[in-house]
Amino acid sequence: MRQILVSALALLVAAATLAEAQGRKFTYVDLIRQLTDLEALAVQPPQGEKSLQASSYDRASVYDPATNTYKGWDANGDGDGIVRVEGDKLVLAEMEGPGVIWRIWSAAPGAGRVRIYLDGAAEPAVDLPFSAYFDGSTEPFIYPSLVHDAASGKNCYVPIPFQKSCKVVADRNWGLYYHFTYTVYPKDTQLPTFSRRLTLEERTALYQANETLTSRLGTDPAGPREGEETIRRSADIAPGKTLTLARLRGPRAITALRVAPTFANREEEVMGLRQMVLRITFDGEQQPAVWAPLGDFFGSVPGLNLYKSLPMGVTSEGMYSFWYMPFGREARVEIVNEGDAARRVAYELTHAPLARPMSELMHFRAKWHRDAFNPTEPGRGIEWTMLTTKGKGRYVGVNLHIWNPKGDWWGEGDEMFYVDGEKFPSTFGTGSEDYFGYAWGIPELFA
């Protein structure tokens, strides 16, 4: 077994109650806009909204409820797991609506056709060789930041909504490895049924989402907000001391945070980003909602490594975050210097009035750890737990940083999400690298 040291920052937004915002109606343009809407992640989801995944995980992995044991849990034949065979066709996934497929991924899509049947229709809404979902050759799967390769991983983020049902059927030569990541909504939610024949408004919305993800990374996707204010300062933090970046009175939301530390060399940079801790506390809570080493929070370990994503990144000017962090009464943002040397940081913090009542929103939370927390149920063996949490909310992402002294390929663990007491995970993936969108453990940089 390879020896690895892993640190993870799990990001989520959570609240004590959920809004009963049921009966909502979404147009296809509404769904496209959610691809780049970070503020929407802070809105309380209605009861019944769930995120799920259909994948080709090895069906030898099973849970036996009679004995509360897990069997074949390390099975790794994840390339061709399916739901069942129907004649000469393979059923890859079945979903009940209303729902939206947000992401399709594969490590090796083939020439065999994959057909997506929606809402009981006799004819498929999409009928293409599986490779054509990813190669940019076919409308509307043509936008390079929505349909792209990431170190041999094939990704498609064009939303595919349905009202009642979705069934994915494939020819036998469809390829190897698949994910269909989707959301289901309360039954009274109204969604359009996807068609490849898009209107001009829908094509324009896809184009705009692609432009945001292509040329606007590093800027707040929401643009300037009415009434926003920005704090800009530089300060030294003595060893063992705490720098308060801001104490804000609500109701407001932190909409952007930029931090640019100063280091004399790479070694100091690597140490300093782990020894400085970001701490954010909301609304008088006893424990901070955000507690993470500075580099880990911004997705950069070890040291400063340039990359850009929608919610956060690192540029030559420093680290940025556009996670939307609402609060009702107050927010306190601090950096704690836990090292033995003074550190200098420049920072910018933008905050703005809320666009809706705090009662409809949730606090942002981030947890960091590097511990094992292995499960105890028979048969589950080693599962490296990134996040365990209670309450109501929405998981929004994770940063995973791995030090692998053995070199080469660092692991093959399937991602698994056990939600609301599930014994068998509702998301069961095909490998850690697949979860992040790439494939085959190829050591190429990508964002």
Side-chain angles (χ1 to χ4, degrees), residues 6-7 36 70 79 112 115 138 143 149 174 215 226 232 235 244 269 286 309 312 321 326 338 345 403 422:
V6 189
S7 67
T36 56
Y70 292 79
R115 302 167 181 86
T138 309
Y143 301 91
D149 289 3
W174 63 269
S215 60
E226 184 176 353
R232 295 182 179 90
T244 299
E269 179 182 293
Q286 295 300 307
S309 74
M312 56 193 181
S321 164
E338 296 190 345
V345 296
W403 174 63
E422 292 171 340

Side-chain angles (χ1 to χ4, degrees), residues 145 210-217 219 308:
S145 285
N210 183 74
E211 280 296 293
T212 295
L213 295 168
T214 301
S215 60
R216 292 187 56 206
L217 295 180
T219 64
K308 287 184 178 181

